[in-house]
Amino acid sequence: MSSPVLVEATRGGRVESRHRGSVAIVDGDGARVFALGAVSDPVFPRSACKAMQALPLVESGAADAYGFGDAELALACASHNGEPEHVALAGRMLQVAGLQAEALECGAHWSFDQPTLIGQARSLDRPTALHNNCSGKHAGFLCAACHSGMEPRGYVAYGHPLQAEIRSAMEDLTGTLIDADRCGIDGCSIPTYAVPLDRLAHGFARMATGIGLGRLRAEASRRLIAACMAEPFYVAGTKRACTTLMRLAPGRIFVKTGAEGVFCAAIPEKGLGIALKCEDGATRAAEAMVAAVLARCLRDDPALEAALLAEANRTMRNWNGTAVGEIRVSDALTQA
Amino acid sequence: MSSPVLVEATRGGRVESRHRGSVAIVDGDGARVFALGAVSDPVFPRSACKAMQALPLVESGAADAYGFGDAELALACASHNGEPEHVALAGRMLQVAGLQAEALECGAHWSFDQPTLIGQARSLDRPTALHNNCSGKHAGFLCAACHSGMEPRGYVAYGHPLQAEIRSAMEDLTGTLIDADRCGIDGCSIPTYAVPLDRLAHGFARMATGIGLGRLRAEASRRLIAACMAEPFYVAGTKRACTTLMRLAPGRIFVKTGAEGVFCAAIPEKGLGIALKCEDGATRAAEAMVAAVLARCLRDDPALEAALLAEANRTMRNWNGTAVGEIRVSDALTQA
């Protein structure tokens, strides 16, 4: 099934570029509340499912044993900017487990955030694995493995017992088979599994509601979602969409992006999970889509709806600050 | 008319993201040699038509009066990285016309190229207008205006006589009306005009062949195209697609990108002009498309065809250098 145009970029009053996408909103029982496009097609959630991947950290008791609070759990679910606070906290998480940065197997990269990159360029010869946007997730993996008595080395491999635990949790949450046939390798070297978009949304509805989950998993899920909502800076960083959107309604919206135009989200008070994918992988479009979808779910709070729509539809300015066009979402996302 | 999928990004053997696009290949007489997608739809060429916008610089006699060679003319047609050589040459172009960097009206930005940005962050407090990727084009505009006795201030405005000259040249080359109804404002504050993709391709076929142009314009066009092919570093920079593709076949391929997934190109030996637009504006996809289209036009040189296809289809690696997927072009671009 093909995907409809959901976001347009305009210039001089004309549409300059178009982004297609698919969106699924699902409740805790698995019922589709809203669907647009190819919602049964498998999609790699990439970093959008980091909260699912962090479940062993909590369920194993590692998070409690190491004294992790909301900030550490949020960072374990994060794709962060590599700002100094992110880098320092990832280092501290490793330290309490008796590990060094060298244990991280995610690889190193400069920040994707321009102001952070400029700061890094002025203070570092080169970035380390602690600066990788996934360093918090990897620190969480290492803490879970160490606390559970697993050999930490090779924790990124498909065959490592930690990755097997993650597969099991994802199968439980999404109700789909998670195996080698659905596996790709992510940017930070861990396995990523293609899951139908509506099953991914169902998984996040379950994490937010606990419906159909065992007590331990329901509690761990709610704790991770709550930690991200309580510490949105540690999920992404300055001026990032996940951080901005969660700050608009503290404790009411969970939202997490993934590479190639994916977003997963949950609205606990509505019992809803959301998953969306921009066909072409564009971040600018996926950000507009998720803001518009959150707005449609929260129409009963007109001030919040307006604030979310202001994130979805925005003016583009050039280097001189002149308004040159708009990013705008289609009626299909906002209406009926 | 809708645009077909022309480029796919894969991961773990599955298609992860899809890019649609339109492509027109036209000869000097205006005949369509190849067309895919919505080639009659108007598209903002953005920076892809900088060689057209540089015509007044040559036609006015300014380029000769100021002693400009291939490097200066290439920079006048460039979207450069802001590498030290680009910045220095833009400064020298202004200097010979008796102007300072403050005359530039393009605005300032840090380099889009990560290694260049890191170097800039370590050596500069902040970038100036000379570092703007369009500084060479703007230096060329100022030189043309000064040599022609025009007031240089306000040269970016629709109503400035230099912009009127550019409109006239673009109408002549593309055979389409270029006016305020088709006007948007570009990132560097100059007007950009929406032109049907096939007419844009025709314009570049005419620039490469001179067919249907007056003697002065035909000569200026060929000189600008030849300058870009002779100095590809000054058209873009280190590891940039325009530079890489032109270096694969020195003097035989002209190629220039524009924002939002546009490419214009010409193959003088074949008398062909090319214009393409990625529907979603993605650079990675537009780069693959133009390499594949150039390859199909140059099949009679199998080594060059293979080198171009190696740019079109490429392996994506993660931060650890592991191959995780591919960017690959569709059969529609390469076959029949």
Side-chain angles (χ1 to χ4, degrees):
Chain A
M1 188 176 167
S2 83
S3 303
V5 173
L6 299 183
V7 174
E8 294 174 333
T10 70
R11 183 174 300 267
R14 291 169 181 268
V15 177
E16 184 168 27
S17 297
R18 292 172 178 81
H19 298 278
R20 297 161 190 271
S22 302
V23 177
I25 308 180
V26 176
D27 69 19
D29 296 315
R32 280 188 198 171
V33 174
F34 179 76
L36 268 179
V39 296
S40 301
D41 284 2
V43 163
F44 288 117
R46 309 289 301 275
S47 293
C49 74
K50 278 177 175 168
M52 294 180 175
Q53 295 166 326
L55 282 167
L57 173 67
V58 178
E59 293 177 358
S60 68
D64 286 332
Y66 296 130
F68 290 169
D70 287 340
E72 289 86 352
L73 293 184
L75 196 70
C77 302
S79 300
H80 63 72
N81 273 348
E83 293 175 73
E85 299 89 336
H86 301 127
V87 175
L89 187 57
R92 288 201 300 275
M93 289 171 68
L94 291 173
Q95 206 168 23
V96 295
L99 295 161
Q100 308 288 322
E102 289 67 35
L104 295 169
E105 299 179 5
C106 48
H109 66 79
W110 295 99
S111 179
F112 306 141
D113 174 61
Q114 194 192 70
T116 306
L117 169 54
I118 290 167
Q120 288 178 346
R122 288 171 174 167
S123 59
L124 302 172
D125 273 347
R126 61 180 64 84
T128 70
L130 284 174
H131 299 89
N132 186 308
N133 78 93
C134 299
S135 67
K137 175 181 71 179
H138 282 251
F141 285 168
L142 281 162
C143 290
C146 285
H147 179 76
S148 305
M150 300 172 185
E151 162 64 47
R153 268 179 299 181
Y155 69 91
V156 298
Y158 182 90
H160 190 279
L162 179 72
Q163 298 302 333
E165 281 194 11
I166 291 170
R167 280 195 291 282
S168 169
M170 287 185 70
E171 285 195 345
D172 184 33
L173 289 166
T174 65
T176 63
L177 197 63
I178 304 288
D179 65 6
D181 287 345
R182 287 147 188 83
C183 184
I185 301 171
D186 213 323
C188 64
S189 293
I190 69 160
T192 179
Y193 308 97
V195 178
L197 205 59
D198 60 350
R199 296 301 90 209
L200 203 52
H202 187 200
F204 277 94
R206 280 178 147 168
M207 286 192 79
T209 63
I211 293 174
L213 303 179
R215 195 187 55 78
L216 180 69
R217 178 146 297 155
E219 196 177 301
S221 295
R222 273 191 287 239
R223 185 168 162 194
L224 285 163
I225 298 283
C228 292
M229 295 193 295
E231 293 284 358
F233 171 79
Y234 283 100
V235 177
T238 304
K239 292 194 178 177
R240 289 276 304 281
C242 293
T243 301
T244 300
L245 293 171
M246 287 196 279
R247 280 181 175 159
L248 286 179
R252 299 175 61 198
I253 293 173
F254 165 82
V255 58
K256 180 67 191 76
T257 194
E260 295 291 333
V262 178
F263 267 93
C264 290
I267 306 178
E269 71 193 64
K270 306 282 185 192
L272 297 176
I274 296 163
L276 65 85
K277 160 82 181 163
C278 174
E279 182 186 73
D280 60 73
T283 297
R284 70 174 180 187
E287 290 176 352
M289 290 176 200
V290 78
V293 171
L294 290 166
R296 75 171 291 135
C297 294
L298 291 157
R299 279 180 188 154
D300 51 3
D301 183 340
L304 179 54
E305 180 193 21
L308 288 163
L309 285 176
E311 295 296 325
N313 299 298
R314 58 188 179 75
T315 299
M316 288 191 289
R317 295 182 182 278
N318 70 9
W319 303 114
N320 285 321
T322 307
V324 294
E326 294 178 345
I327 298 284
R328 66 184 188 202
V329 296
S330 79
D331 291 347
L333 277 176
T334 52
Q335 290 177 1
Chain B
M1 189 176 167
S2 81
S3 303
V5 173
L6 298 183
V7 174
E8 294 173 335
T10 70
R11 181 173 303 266
R14 291 170 181 266
V15 176
E16 184 169 28
S17 298
R18 293 171 175 83
H19 298 278
R20 298 162 188 270
S22 302
V23 177
I25 309 179
V26 176
D27 70 18
D29 296 315
R32 281 188 197 171
V33 174
F34 179 75
L36 268 178
V39 296
S40 301
D41 284 2
V43 163
F44 287 117
R46 310 288 302 272
S47 293
C49 74
K50 277 177 174 167
M52 294 180 175
Q53 295 166 327
L55 282 167
L57 173 67
V58 178
E59 293 178 358
S60 68
D64 286 333
Y66 296 130
F68 290 168
D70 286 340
E72 289 85 351
L73 293 184
L75 196 71
C77 301
S79 300
H80 63 72
N81 273 348
E83 294 176 72
E85 299 88 337
H86 301 126
V87 176
L89 187 57
R92 288 203 298 276
M93 288 171 69
L94 291 173
Q95 207 168 23
V96 295
L99 295 161
Q100 307 289 321
E102 290 66 35
L104 294 169
E105 298 179 6
C106 49
H109 67 78
W110 295 99
S111 179
F112 306 141
D113 175 62
Q114 195 192 71
T116 306
L117 169 55
I118 290 167
Q120 289 178 345
R122 289 171 175 169
S123 60
L124 301 172
D125 273 347
R126 61 181 63 84
T128 70
L130 283 173
H131 300 89
N132 186 307
N133 78 92
C134 299
S135 67
K137 175 182 71 177
H138 282 251
F141 285 168
L142 281 162
C143 290
C146 285
H147 180 75
S148 305
M150 299 171 185
E151 162 64 45
R153 268 179 299 180
Y155 69 91
V156 298
Y158 182 90
H160 190 279
L162 180 72
Q163 298 302 333
E165 279 192 13
I166 291 170
R167 280 195 292 282
S168 170
M170 288 185 69
E171 285 196 344
D172 184 33
L173 290 165
T174 65
T176 64
L177 198 62
I178 305 287
D179 64 6
D181 286 346
R182 289 147 187 83
C183 184
I185 301 173
D186 214 323
C188 65
S189 293
I190 68 160
T192 179
Y193 307 97
V195 178
L197 205 59
D198 59 351
R199 296 302 89 211
L200 204 52
H202 187 200
F204 278 93
R206 281 178 147 169
M207 286 192 79
T209 62
I211 293 174
L213 303 179
R215 196 187 54 77
L216 181 69
R217 177 147 296 156
E219 197 176 301
S221 295
R222 273 191 287 240
R223 186 168 161 194
L224 285 163
I225 298 284
C228 292
M229 296 193 295
E231 293 285 358
F233 171 79
Y234 283 100
V235 177
T238 305
K239 293 195 179 177
R240 289 277 304 281
C242 293
T243 301
T244 300
L245 293 171
M246 287 195 279
R247 279 181 176 159
L248 286 180
R252 298 175 61 197
I253 292 173
F254 164 82
V255 58
K256 180 67 191 75
T257 193
E260 295 291 332
V262 178
F263 267 93
C264 290
I267 306 177
E269 71 193 64
K270 304 283 185 191
L272 296 176
I274 296 163
L276 65 84
K277 159 82 181 163
C278 174
E279 182 186 74
D280 60 72
T283 297
R284 70 175 180 186
E287 289 176 353
M289 290 176 200
V290 76
V293 170
L294 289 166
R296 76 171 289 136
C297 294
L298 290 157
R299 280 178 188 155
D300 52 4
D301 182 340
L304 179 55
E305 180 194 21
L308 288 162
L309 285 176
E311 295 295 325
N313 298 299
R314 58 188 180 73
T315 300
M316 288 190 291
R317 296 182 181 278
N318 71 10
W319 304 114
N320 285 321
T322 308
V324 294
E326 294 179 344
I327 297 285
R328 66 184 188 202
V329 296
S330 79
D331 291 348
L333 276 177
T334 52
Q335 291 178 0

